[in-house]
Amino acid sequence: MSDDLLVEVRGSVMWLTIHRPERRNAINAAVLSGIRQALEDAGRNRQLRAIVLTGAGENAFCSGADLREPSFRFDYAQPYQWLADLLRAARRCVTPIIARVNGACLAGGMGLLAMCDMAVASRAAVFGLPEVKVGVFPAQVLSVLQHQLPRRVLTEMCITGATIDAEQALAYGLVNHLADGDLDAKLDWLLGRLLDKSPSAIRRALYTMKQIEALPFEASIAFTESQIGLAALTEDCREGLSAFIEKRQPNWTGQ
């Protein structure tokens, strides 16, 4: 890991904090590779129930690529690049990832937001795709963002560089909840709603949702009918049904 990315485990939640406040938490290769490694590590740790991704300070979640570094120059002999690899890793991740958007979320930061499963934002947060202002466009970001914003809104943001505020982001479905005051209180409320649920069911749900997103109906329904059959074989399913019948709280094993 790098000093630019802080990794902390708080109970059953892994916190990933981009720690570059002097650069408005702009991302570089070390940050991207660090987040990707953390997601892969979390997937192997059954004790972790959720991942929170945020930025240091109160001004920025992530302002995108650090333009003082060679962000858009790649090793062209290497077909897989830093941001794309991170987005692939997030796609494979079945531990819920929650974005804690504490300020400006711009450019590549929008990609980090979009790769998360849920998001809580400050009402002071702003969202935008300003790449066109420096002669590029949000190519990789579009792969994860295109299904989360209305097409005409996304087009306007992409080709004008215009920003939207937190209320608009909520209305468009880009974030789940806005914090009226204490952002962490709202985040804890959301975490509380998932940490008492079946770990195996959550993993299966995220896996299934990500697999069927681009499938036509017949392929989707065939896949999902097999998945519900597999879910019924888990210890958590047996425990959940027993707890319901016995009118008690379930004791999840995550198996």
Side-chain angles (χ1 to χ4, degrees):
M1 295 299 177
S2 161
D3 292 339
D4 290 343
L5 179 71
L6 304 182
V7 180
E8 180 185 4
V9 175
R10 305 179 189 176
S12 59
V13 181
M14 174 185 280
W15 279 66
L16 306 177
T17 304
I18 304 171
H19 192 249
R20 308 187 74 215
E22 75 288 350
R23 301 292 301 139
R24 301 187 75 204
N25 296 321
I27 47 180
N28 56 19
V31 170
L32 296 176
S33 62
I35 297 174
R36 178 182 58 77
Q37 185 62 58
L39 296 187
E40 293 174 352
D41 292 344
R44 292 187 288 268
N45 186 346
R46 290 290 183 89
Q47 302 305 309
L48 291 175
R49 299 292 312 283
I51 301 164
V52 172
L53 177 62
T54 191
E58 299 180 356
N59 296 322
F61 169 73
C62 175
S63 59
D66 191 335
L67 299 182
R68 294 187 181 183
E69 299 188 16
S71 303
F72 304 112
R73 296 183 183 275
F74 304 137
D75 175 1
Y76 295 107
Q78 171 56 260
Y80 300 113
Q81 306 303 333
W82 294 110
L83 178 56
D85 258 354
L86 171 56
L87 299 181
R88 291 184 181 100
R91 187 76 171 183
R92 293 190 297 268
C93 184
V94 291
T95 304
I97 310 171
I98 302 175
R100 176 186 177 275
V101 186
N102 51 308
C105 178
L106 305 170
M110 290 282 280
L112 299 186
L113 167 63
M115 79 179 191
C116 294
D117 301 298
M118 293 182 286
V120 174
S122 162
R123 288 191 181 273
V126 294
F127 305 80
L129 299 168
E131 288 93 334
V132 69
K133 297 179 180 179
V134 295
V136 291
F137 68 99
Q140 296 163 98
V141 171
L142 290 176
S143 293
V144 288
L145 193 58
Q146 64 175 330
H147 300 300
Q148 296 188 15
L149 282 172
R151 184 68 178 189
R152 294 187 188 279
V153 173
L154 179 59
T155 299
E156 182 176 354
M157 293 177 69
C158 186
I159 68 176
T160 70
T163 59
I164 60 174
D165 62 25
E167 290 286 353
Q168 290 172 298
L170 179 65
Y172 294 140
L174 190 58
V175 301
N176 295 80
H177 303 282
L178 299 183
D180 289 315
D182 189 338
L183 180 57
D184 286 331
K186 196 67 176 179
L187 175 64
D188 288 343
W189 169 81
L190 182 58
L191 284 169
R193 296 177 70 196
L194 69 91
L195 293 179
D196 64 345
K197 306 304 188 301
S198 161
S200 64
I202 288 174
R203 288 194 300 270
R204 278 282 170 189
L206 289 178
Y207 170 74
T208 301
M209 292 174 70
K210 292 177 181 183
Q211 290 296 317
I212 69 173
E213 185 176 6
L215 292 180
F217 173 77
E218 286 298 339
S220 174
I221 200 67
F223 184 82
T224 53
E225 65 185 350
S226 68
Q227 290 303 304
I228 194 62
L230 290 173
L233 298 176
T234 65
E235 292 181 11
D236 273 5
C237 181
R238 290 192 292 273
E239 169 62 12
L241 293 174
S242 296
F244 177 80
I245 293 169
E246 298 165 10
K247 295 182 172 55
R248 60 174 175 81
Q249 291 298 313
N251 180 26
W252 306 120
T253 65
Q255 301 297 318

